[in-house]
Amino acid sequence: MLISQFQSAYSPSKELSLDESLLHFRRRLNFRVYIKNKKSRYGLKFFELTTSDGYLLNVELYSGSVKEDDESDNTKTEAVVMRLMKPYLMKGHELFMDNYYNSYELSEKLLSFKTHTNGTLRSNRRSNPKKFS
């Protein structure tokens, strides 16, 4: 309900950003994550879609396992991106993301939904065309 209020209260500009954040949480929980390079090593991981000025548009809590999608050809990260971007596809947005999410196939898929992507691309992704290796 909160996310639907966020989405209805604000019409975002062209630029959107996708990233993850970690909420410090030390108690027992089966989907709590451990990231050794973070200052707060234990916590709850969130995938967030925001505007360029930081307004939260969509959020998803990482719960340890991926929901079953009817789109079985998606990787786990592609599925997260597509779920978060669903209300904003076909509207001409630009999505900024880091190399954790970005792939050649995802960029092509988003472009078919009139959404441009910006970000770094890992050179060792299996789905990259040979000319990017």
Side-chain angles (χ1 to χ4, degrees), residues 12-20 47-52 55 57-58 77-103 106-111 113-120:
S13 63
K14 190 175 182 180
E15 293 88 14
L16 302 177
S17 175
L18 182 69
D19 208 359
E20 66 273 348
F47 301 107
E48 300 171 343
L49 179 68
T50 63
T51 61
S52 59
Y55 187 85
L57 295 170
N58 209 346
T77 54
E78 282 182 26
V80 168
V81 172
M82 296 307 285
R83 282 194 304 267
L84 291 173
M85 283 295 297
K86 189 174 183 177
Y88 303 100
L89 297 175
M90 303 299 284
K91 295 183 179 178
H93 289 289
E94 291 181 17
L95 180 63
F96 291 82
M97 54 188 161
D98 61 13
N99 63 12
Y100 178 76
Y101 304 100
N102 203 3
S103 71
L106 176 62
S107 294
E108 277 190 332
K109 187 177 289 189
L110 287 171
L111 191 57
F113 289 108
K114 297 181 181 177
T115 303
H116 294 272
T117 60
N118 291 300
T120 55

Side-chain angles (χ1 to χ4, degrees), residues 15-60:
E15 293 88 14
L16 302 177
S17 175
L18 182 69
D19 208 359
E20 66 273 348
S21 67
L22 190 70
L23 176 65
H24 180 70
F25 189 82
R26 289 285 295 183
R27 297 187 181 181
R28 290 179 186 234
L29 197 57
N30 62 349
F31 54 88
R32 179 186 70 168
V33 295
Y34 172 75
I35 303 174
K36 68 177 183 176
N37 296 333
K38 297 281 187 178
K39 182 179 177 183
S40 175
R41 293 187 174 125
Y42 292 94
L44 303 177
K45 185 176 182 176
F46 290 93
F47 301 107
E48 300 171 343
L49 179 68
T50 63
T51 61
S52 59
D53 55 351
Y55 187 85
L56 185 66
L57 295 170
N58 209 346
V59 65
E60 185 175 301

